[in-house]
Amino acid sequence: MALSGETPPRPRAERRRAAAPAPPARVPHPLPYQGSKRRLAAAILAEAGPGPYAALYEPFCGSAALTLAAAARGLAPRFVLGDSLEPLVALWRAILESPARVASAYGALWRAQHGDPAHYERVRERFNRARDPAALLYLLARCAKAAVRFNRGGDFNQAPDRRRHGMRPERLAAEVAGAARLLAGRARLACADYEATIAAAGPADLVYLDPPFQGTSEGRDRRYAAGLERARLVASLAGLNARGVPFLLSYDGRSGARAYGEPLPRSLGLRLVRLDAGVSSQATLLGRRERTLESLYLSPALLARRRR
């Protein structure tokens, strides 16, 4: 039996259809990023309803997969991309303002790696010294499992994937150019805490939050440069509810028997939908075949809007 406020899990076949519906047009995806919602973007946006919204806020933007998919669908005329990780925001600024330049610089780094087994480490050192956006783009394309890892000092510290060379320059240039075309003149970038990024959001807007899951940002298994306290997140969601702001939240989930975090309080009035994210790649590496179900929470204001 489902908990109050929770959508009962769908049959497996229905979950598969919801997880990857055919998009209306190909959406560019220039940043390889672990946890990216590229494959789930269409299913998430389906829960947002048809729109249009005045603006879409994505304060944990990462690869900005949800924003790019929303822009391709005409869900809003304006977008706010935010992240507390300054080098990532600088990379997005370079993509939007100088797409050809950043793609060319990436191509030079990509071609220089052949025959040089220490190239990745040198680029990583260069990035950690100068915070060069093109160097970060190369590191994202080459790092192990596309798992972005920064230490507390802000230095990139993920190892390379020795089995692959990263996205080819020609394809990367097309992805960067596509993202720039979709968002140029319509996106505002914010290097800020997520609460500051969404402070101006109102009832006509849509906020999409994709913070680190509770199981990966608290306790012993900390994977991100900046964690997120669950109590603070709950308070922020209550604040959005009080302002009547529609929002979608990707938070916690389950892979096999392992749950990532506890359900959010019923007092928030959220509806929970389980999205089938497919077979867990991490479990596969460990010899297990487990499906991952990600939790998507729909706010009361969003549910009210959909009922109109």
Side-chain angles (χ1 to χ4, degrees), residues 229-287:
E229 293 182 359
R230 184 175 184 274
R232 183 184 173 213
L233 175 64
V234 169
S236 299
L237 300 178
L240 289 173
N241 278 345
R243 287 155 47 197
V245 179
F247 67 83
L248 293 159
L249 167 70
S250 292
Y251 191 63
D252 68 59
R254 179 176 296 277
S255 180
R258 183 179 182 185
Y260 294 93
E262 298 295 325
L264 290 167
R266 295 184 184 182
S267 60
L268 292 172
L270 307 178
R271 176 180 294 174
L272 171 58
V273 177
R274 303 286 190 185
L275 298 181
D276 189 341
V279 176
S280 167
S281 57
Q282 182 62 33
T284 300
L285 290 173
L286 298 175

Side-chain angles (χ1 to χ4, degrees), residues 114-128:
H114 300 290
D116 183 358
H119 180 71
Y120 178 94
E121 286 76 10
R122 278 196 289 272
V123 175
R124 186 172 61 191
E125 291 174 4
R126 166 181 161 180
F127 169 76
N128 288 337

Side-chain angles (χ1 to χ4, degrees), residues 86-87 90 126-136 150 153-156:
E86 191 278 333
R126 166 181 161 180
F127 169 76
N128 288 337
R129 285 195 312 269
R131 299 295 194 263
D132 175 29
L136 177 57
F150 288 83
D155 288 344
F156 192 93

Side-chain angles (χ1 to χ4, degrees), residues 63-218:
S63 69
L66 205 287
T67 290
L68 290 168
R73 288 159 176 75
L75 190 67
R78 296 187 299 112
F79 303 92
V80 179
L81 287 169
D83 206 283
S84 62
L85 193 59
E86 191 278 333
L88 180 64
V89 176
L91 174 55
W92 272 114
R93 182 168 287 108
I95 288 172
L96 297 185
E97 295 179 357
S98 307
R101 183 181 304 171
V102 73
S104 176
Y106 168 88
L109 292 173
W110 188 91
R111 286 184 286 272
Q113 72 186 326
H114 300 290
D116 183 358
H119 180 71
Y120 178 94
E121 286 76 10
R122 278 196 289 272
V123 175
R124 186 172 61 191
E125 291 174 4
R126 166 181 161 180
F127 169 76
N128 288 337
R129 285 195 312 269
R131 299 295 194 263
D132 175 29
L136 177 57
L137 185 55
Y138 171 79
L139 294 173
L140 296 180
R142 277 293 317 276
C143 69
K145 297 185 289 187
V148 182
R149 298 290 184 267
F150 288 83
N151 63 24
R152 291 184 181 276
D155 288 344
F156 192 93
N157 61 359
Q158 180 62 297
D161 185 338
R162 301 291 183 185
R163 300 166 300 172
R164 60 189 181 87
H165 293 115
M167 194 184 301
R168 296 186 64 85
E170 299 80 6
R171 179 184 169 193
L172 187 282
E175 301 292 335
V176 166
R181 281 195 300 271
L182 272 178
L183 298 180
R186 298 201 290 160
R188 179 172 67 83
L189 296 170
C191 180
D193 176 80
Y194 77 98
E195 289 186 302
T197 300
I198 62 176
D205 303 317
L206 176 65
V207 172
Y208 173 64
L209 301 110
D210 185 22
F213 285 4
Q214 183 182 354
T216 62
S217 61
E218 295 182 352

